[in-house]
Amino acid sequence: MEIFSNLALGFSIALTPFTLMLAVIGCFLGTIIGALPGLGPSNGVAILIPITFSMGLDATAALVLLTSVYYGAMYGGRISSILLNIPGDEPAMMTTLDGYPMAKQGRAGDALVISGVASFVGAFLATIALAMVAPYLARIAYKFGPAEYFALYTLAFATLGGMASKNQAKAALASFIGLAIALVGLDNNSGFNRFTGGNLHLSDGIDFLVAIVGLFAVSEVFFFIETHGKDSAVGVKLGKVTIPWAEMWSTRWTMIRSSVVGFVAGVLPGAGASLGSFMTYMMEKGIAGDKGGFGTGVAKGVAAPEAGNNAAAGGALVPMLTLGVPGSGTTAVLLAVLMTLNITPGPTLFADRPEVVWGLIASLLIANVVLLLMNVPMVKVFVKILMVPPAVLLPAVTMISFVGIYSLSGSYFDLVLMIIFGVVGYAFRKMDIPTVPVILGILLGYQMENNLRHAMTLSGGEWTYLFSSPIAIGLWIAAVLGFVAPMFLRGLLKRPEIRDADELVD
Amino acid sequence: MIRTDRVFGVVVILAALAYIASAYNLPQGSMFDKLGPKAFPIIVGAGALISAAFLVLRPDDEPDWPPVPTLLALAFATLVLVAYAYALKPMGFIVPTAIAAGVLSYQITPKPLSAVLVGIGLSVGLFVIFKYALGLSLFAFPRALMG
């Protein structure tokens, strides 16, 4: 089997002592980041990107570190959901529904262990599925020309925008703002400066890392100043942690079903982990019926969303690696990681840089095992760290963001730009304008334009060329549906009301 | 009634018009680049224009903006961060970071003593981590003083 030789290649890269050490550090940091309210997978990975590059790690090492943080944050999100009723990040929101009632009954330890194992099952199965599905999708992606890519990018914006906000116009506006920012700077094809207003700093364009750190991390500080960190974790108590074997075994089918559904939700562009955990929770609630007692603190109620959101995190890597199109905010950040490493995701990645792809997949499997070991016996350590007061945490996050961006460019200009993005991020989130499409626009704008120009040059300026192949037409139809359908589904899929501590989309 | 969405929509419309106008002045495409550098920006500008028009026509409910004193505190935090950005290079890492971190800490939880300790602790702690554990090139104090 091809997959075994590929995985063997991956493990030969990922199993060196140095990369293993990075995986352990990444998992540890990631779990903390996920657990802390106000920090989630997307802003946690975002503030670490610039620092990782300043350390001069090679591509594989940097990827291992940052994806370990990503997976770790997906695990960690459940800790504050269960103990505080505050989701550490948005995908962990559904875990509060049964996790917090369990904690109130004095069964916080059980909830943490079961959800930890569910996270492991979800993430592990999804990583295997990723290893099996991605190469096939990569083969299909070879058939994509510039017209198909342009349609695909449109699809990514449409579905992400459709999901991200209650108001479609705001989601669309966010995408266009992102694209408009991406076009600032020197146009490589014609050699003209665009929209720089004569500012030399701007002719290199606006670095997407500056935008990501500003929108995701710096804006968080403003929220905490506004609320004076009311959502902080003070006085959390956790008794002795034992492993409830029998109860865990009773959730086995829940975990497996949720992993499958979560993975599929993750693969769909724009859906991501939040939808994965939502769908799996609702599905299991439906299967269990009224006797299941969902919402009162049952094991299946924490197992389903945790398996679902971790499986979705793995599934979201499929479109990101094979097509270069991220399915969620966090994978958009991971795409930024790849782009900074000069790795272009897409079908050619599997042929040209197999060591990167398979090294990444192998390190995800390793990270999962590390995370299971860390999150079940050592969960008390993370609970201690949860008690860091926000008056220490948020200044630290800000200073790390500044040092990261500063060490990339060494100029105050990027720092000021980052602060502006922070203010904009705060205002946008207040106004329910999603920030993830802005990031996606900045990341994809250049390639989107290039594909359009390339397509038009090939066709001699004939716009119908964009709709000339079956794949392209299919993508366009999916884009329209993905953007329009949520308007009608919104009434049907009413989310249960939860106190929103953190509105960052995963 | 003036609503945030309306105001923001009008601002975006004006900005989009300026963006489109600026794109119009770019040159035409050529044989090898049929579309040229101006077409896609115009599409993007037009898209922003249309979405913003929706905001003006059908604004959402007013977001819950914080009261004026909180807004002033946020503005002050922004100013501190901008000052920090400008001070980082000439003044070295330690002193500006301690001040900026202390101010933010005080703004989140107004306890003066702990804010001072957080500022100094974070500044020194992060410097040690960045400089010696991660090997980033930072200067603790102004370079003139370091010789």
Side-chain angles (χ1 to χ4, degrees), chain B:
Chain B
M1 195 182 109
I2 298 177
R3 291 202 192 169
T4 306
D5 279 5
R6 289 223 161 98
V7 175
F8 183 67
V10 170
V11 171
V12 172
I13 287 173
L14 293 178
L17 286 174
Y19 196 85
I20 294 171
S22 168
Y24 258 109
N25 292 326
L26 289 163
Q28 289 287 348
S30 62
M31 265 286 285
F32 311 102
D33 177 20
K34 202 84 190 170
L35 217 51
K38 65 194 284 183
F40 190 65
I42 291 174
I43 297 173
V44 169
L49 197 75
I50 296 167
S51 334
F54 271 98
L55 254 61
V56 174
L57 294 175
R58 292 185 54 192
D60 286 340
D61 294 337
E62 192 65 12
D64 56 336
W65 293 111
V68 174
T70 312
L71 282 178
L72 289 177
L74 291 173
F76 181 70
T78 311
L79 273 181
V80 169
L81 290 178
V82 172
Y84 176 56
Y86 279 92
L88 201 48
K89 197 163 202 166
M91 310 259 304
F93 184 80
I94 300 271
V95 177
T97 306
I99 295 172
V103 170
L104 290 181
S105 176
Y106 182 79
Q107 287 197 298
I108 292 172
T109 308
K111 289 182 196 149
L113 182 66
S114 69
V116 170
L117 291 178
V118 167
I120 295 170
L122 275 181
S123 161
V124 174
L126 289 177
F127 182 78
V128 170
I129 294 175
F130 286 135
K131 177 92 182 177
Y132 300 105
L134 303 181
L136 304 188
S137 70
L138 288 175
F139 292 91
F141 296 103
R143 255 177 269 192
L145 289 181
M146 306 273 282

Side-chain angles (χ1 to χ4, degrees), chain A residues 8 32 68 97 107 137 180 200 209 216 278 283 301 320 396 460:
Chain A
I32 295 173
S68 305
L97 296 181
R107 301 178 58 217
L137 198 60
L200 280 181
L209 289 177
F216 285 173
F278 176 74
M283 175 185 75
M320 202 274 278

Side-chain angles (χ1 to χ4, degrees), chain A residues 222-239:
Chain A
F222 294 123
F223 274 97
F224 272 80
I225 291 176
E226 184 191 333
T227 60
H228 292 293
K230 277 197 203 82
D231 291 332
S232 61
V234 184
V236 182
K237 289 278 184 295
L238 178 65

Side-chain angles (χ1 to χ4, degrees), chain A residues 444-466:
Chain A
L444 297 181
Y446 173 75
Q447 287 173 40
M448 195 166 173
E449 182 185 21
N450 260 359
N451 277 301
L452 181 66
R453 282 161 86 163
H454 196 178
M456 286 303 117
T457 306
L458 284 178
S459 71
E462 189 58 59
W463 287 88
T464 51
Y465 180 72
L466 291 177

